[in-house]
Amino acid sequence: MKDFLRQNGILLVIIALLLTILIGVGTAFMGGNADPLSNVVNTVTSPIRNGIAAAADWAEGVYNYVFRYGQIQEELDSLRAQVAELEDQVREGQEAAKQNERLRELLDLQAKREDFVFESARVTGRSTDNWASTLTISKGTSAGVEAGDCVVTSTGVLVGVVSKVGLNWSTVSTIINTDIEIGGIVTRTYSAGVLEGDFALMGQGRLKLSYLPHSAQLVSGDEVLTSGKGDVYPSGLVVGQVEGVFTDPSGMTRYAVVVPDADLSSLVEVFVIKDFDIQE
């Protein structure tokens, strides 16, 4: 029986299809009422018809996918480009907001110290060794910048002092550099001393307020400003906060370790004080 079906399977299928056609025609002539033989044939051939229909649906789906793939890819590329453009706009908006905030802060500082003449500059470089703490800025003699000018943030926090000047660039010794020496004062107690860089402290991002009087009662968190003593640098520039008070190894003098308020590692824009009035 198996051999018979294997050898004559195609013939049987053809016969079944012909019978289906004949039965369909006969049914049409008989008013749509199928006889028992039609029911048997339809029952046998129904899975075949369903399989053919499913295969046709699958083929149509594959065709639609292939046909639309290129269009979908183009839409994805367009969306990616739009997202990239929006991200650029967001970054530009954030930078503009930061710039506006810095300008507002500078206006506040100018309102407090109308005697200051500022020159804005970009930070273009930083020292790359452990022997110095310096910045390179984008303004020089062509903009009226001179050695000895103080450099501050937009809020008036001291960054350092110009030490070298070129035509369109300058080197700034930051407040923790070892060549810094500026008069300082503690606002709470009016204790005066000398702000100076120290090699050991420079690696920790700190500086000294040296030559403090023995009677000075400083505590952690006391604010330190420039004193303006000697009329070389402006007074009232914020330097930082007292971290602790110590006695010199000689036992003769006391000094405070000061943490700068300026974040020297992340500065982008600074302001050079080109001129100021001496405050009595």
Side-chain angles (χ1 to χ4, degrees):
M1 184 64 178
K2 293 181 179 179
D3 293 338
F4 175 78
L5 291 174
R6 188 180 297 111
Q7 295 174 3
N8 300 284
I10 297 176
L11 179 61
L12 290 174
V13 170
I14 294 173
I15 292 172
L17 291 174
L18 291 174
L19 286 173
T20 301
I21 295 171
L22 291 174
I23 291 170
V25 173
T27 300
F29 282 108
M30 293 173 65
N33 296 319
D35 56 30
L37 180 59
S38 297
N39 289 331
V40 172
V41 173
N42 283 330
T43 300
V44 172
T45 60
S46 180
I48 298 174
R49 293 198 302 272
N50 291 338
I52 293 172
D57 291 341
W58 176 82
E60 183 179 3
V62 171
Y63 172 79
N64 288 335
Y65 172 78
V66 173
F67 179 76
R68 286 184 52 80
Y69 179 80
Q71 181 181 355
I72 293 172
Q73 188 63 43
E74 290 179 359
E75 292 175 354
L76 286 174
D77 292 341
S78 176
L79 288 172
R80 290 192 185 100
Q82 292 178 29
V83 168
E85 183 177 353
L86 289 173
E87 288 176 343
D88 288 340
Q89 292 176 2
V90 168
R91 283 193 291 269
E92 290 174 359
Q94 291 174 340
E95 181 58 32
K98 291 178 182 177
Q99 178 68 16
N100 288 335
E101 179 63 24
R102 287 194 290 268
L103 290 175
R104 282 194 295 270
E105 292 170 344
L106 182 62
L107 288 174
D108 291 339
L109 177 60
Q110 286 179 322
K112 295 175 183 176
R113 294 294 299 267
E114 295 180 354
D115 58 309
F116 284 177
V117 177
F118 291 105
E119 181 68 39
S120 64
R122 305 283 291 183
V123 175
T124 59
R126 289 177 167 82
S127 54
T128 58
D129 56 52
N130 297 324
W131 303 101
S133 176
T134 61
L135 303 174
T136 302
I137 60 175
S138 61
K139 296 293 178 65
T141 55
S142 62
V145 176
E146 298 177 353
D149 287 345
C150 282
V151 179
V152 297
T153 67
S154 58
T155 57
V157 175
L158 183 62
V159 172
V161 178
V162 174
S163 55
K164 294 180 182 179
V165 186
L167 182 64
N168 57 2
W169 61 270
S170 296
T171 299
V172 178
S173 292
T174 73
I175 52 176
I176 64 173
N177 201 44
T178 54
D179 62 355
I180 288 294
E181 190 171 301
I182 302 173
I185 190 168
V186 178
T187 57
R188 185 179 63 83
T189 63
Y190 295 101
S191 301
V194 176
L195 291 162
E196 56 184 3
D198 178 86
F199 184 74
L201 290 175
M202 184 175 67
Q204 303 171 29
R206 287 153 173 74
L207 70 157
K208 283 182 177 181
L209 178 61
S210 301
Y211 307 108
L212 289 171
H214 286 283
S215 59
Q217 299 297 317
L218 307 186
V219 296
S220 177
D222 278 346
E223 185 179 52
V224 181
L225 308 180
T226 57
S227 65
K229 185 177 181 180
D231 301 334
V232 178
Y233 303 111
S235 62
L237 301 178
V238 177
V239 178
Q241 313 291 321
V242 170
E243 184 177 62
V245 181
F246 306 90
T247 301
D248 188 87
S250 66
M252 300 296 293
T253 60
R254 300 170 70 220
Y255 68 93
V257 173
V258 179
V259 180
D261 276 4
D263 186 355
L264 302 175
S265 63
S266 62
L267 289 171
V268 175
E269 185 177 29
V270 293
F271 299 88
V272 182
I273 301 176
K274 298 192 295 182
D275 195 13
F276 65 95
D277 292 341
I278 296 172
Q279 300 287 319
E280 299 294 342

